[in-house]
């Protein structure tokens, strides 16, 4: 098992399949994009499949989430998902995506074994979408969402980040849209993970502000039926339920004590936290002919060294060198 010295066990593997993205969300990367990883440095589909197999068969991984960058940019995504779905015990398989192109691929992804999906949608206003992502793709995201629901990847979850003076007033409209379409919305507090290092504590929209905005239009109540466990989102019933809304308050209400996640970057580095300042290199081990056990041993050592918390609220906090797009959100 993947245990750390604070008694936590990592069972949820987040795999970044690429650092590339077809949007330029301002809380993530600059409008001109980034210097992408050179192709030879990115894990091949077979290498990803092998590491997922080692995680599941030898290290107790039970859930695998594919993310990026934008994972739909990987042409071999269906094969990667099928390989994970063929494992025993079969892990739960999910995908985090911006939804662009999902209208054409949702059914194939489901057929390959995808169980659940999260689609990112920060605004319903085309001009705000353009400003926030530097692309004109809102309609593509909305049709991707609809295709995910039609393919039965339910409950479709929607991730939204609110930014001051941009989309901060959209919390109620986003919730209304998600309720109308049967999607489950979760707001994510903006974290210091942008490549530009522009995040400011004083400017971020806090969970308290989100609750305040929602409370003006909806009644939120305790969701005692659903146990939170290691889930990042705190969920609430909307207007008595059964619809729910979640808030991932990584900054103002950290949940590191219950964290069960471990991350594999697109270039084969294991990170024990989004905010880790160091990584362990599995790619060079794989490529030097290491055995599964040697790979598993390095992976175990990476998780064993996990710190008790992300430290965002400490005066000595240093943002990680890699941005969210390169770590995998
Ligand atoms: N491209 C995919 C997508 O858009 O969902 C997957 C990768 S993206 C990095 C995963 C999630 O991280 C998205 O929901 C995005 O909104 C969120 N995210 C990115 N940067 C963030 C930041 N600085 N703070 C909070 N959430 C962030």
């Amino acid at each position: 098992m993947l245990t750390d010295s604070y008694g936590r066990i990592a069972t949820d593997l987040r795999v970044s399949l690429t650092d590339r993205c077809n949007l330029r969300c301002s809380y993530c990367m600059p409008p001109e994009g980034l210097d992408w990883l050179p192709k030879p440095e990115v894990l091949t589909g077979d290498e990803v499949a092998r590491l997922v197999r080692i995680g599941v068969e030898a290290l107790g991984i039970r859930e695998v989430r594919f993310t990026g960058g934008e994972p739909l940019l990987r042409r071999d995504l269906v094969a990667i998902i099928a390989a994970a779905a063929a494992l025993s015990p079969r892990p739960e398989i999910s995908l985090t995506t911006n939804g662009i192109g999902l209208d054409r691929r949702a059914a194939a992804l489901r057929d390959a074994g995808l169980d659940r999906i999260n689609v990112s949608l920060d605004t319903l206003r085309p001009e705000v979408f353009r400003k926030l992502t530097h692309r004109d793709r809102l309609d593509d995201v909305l049709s991707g969402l609809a295709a995910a629901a039609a393919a039965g990847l339910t409950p479709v979850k929607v991730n939204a980040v609110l930014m001051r003076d941009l989309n901060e007033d959209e919390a109620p409209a986003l919730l209304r849209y998600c309720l109308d379409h049967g999607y489950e919305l979760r707001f994510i507090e903006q974290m210091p993970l942008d490549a530009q290092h522009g995040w400011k504590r004083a400017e971020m929209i806090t969970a308290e502000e989100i609750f305040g905005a929602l409370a003006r239009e909806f009644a939120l109540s305790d969701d005692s039926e659903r146990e939170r466990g290691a889930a990042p989102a705190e969920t609430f019933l909307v207007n008595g339920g059964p619809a729910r809304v979640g808030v991932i308050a990584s900054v103002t209400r950290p949940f590191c004590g219950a964290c069960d996640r471990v991350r594999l970057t697109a270039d084969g580095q294991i990170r024990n936290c989004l905010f880790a300042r160091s990584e362990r290199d599995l790619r060079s081990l794989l490529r030097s002919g290491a055995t599964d056990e040697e790979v598993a041993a390095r992976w175990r050592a990476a998780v064993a060294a996990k710190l008790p918390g992300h430290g965002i609220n400490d005066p000595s906090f240093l943002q990680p060198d890699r941005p969210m797009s390169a770590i995998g959100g």
Side-chain angles (χ1 to χ4, degrees), residues 4-6 8 254-259 272-273 304-311 314:
D4 68 39
S5 55
Y6 298 90
R8 293 167 298 191
F255 36 84
C256 305
C259 179
N272 58 27
C273 173
K306 185 164 169 158
L307 294 176
H310 58 39
D314 300 345

Side-chain angles (χ1 to χ4, degrees), residues 18 20-23 25-29 66-72 95-99 118-122 158-161 163 188-195 199 250 274-275 319 323-329:
T18 175
R20 291 169 191 253
C21 193
N22 40 8
L23 296 182
C25 303
S26 52
Y27 48 74
C28 193
M29 64 172 82
F66 294 106
T67 177
E70 177 43 51
L72 289 178
L95 182 73
T96 302
T97 170
N98 61 30
N118 285 50
V119 178
S120 302
L121 173 70
D122 302 322
V158 171
N159 292 350
V161 177
M163 303 276 287
I188 310 177
E189 279 184 341
Q190 188 196 353
M191 294 179 276
L193 286 169
D194 57 310
W199 179 89
S250 319
L274 263 180
F275 296 95
Q319 187 171 332
M324 181 74 126
S325 58
I327 297 171

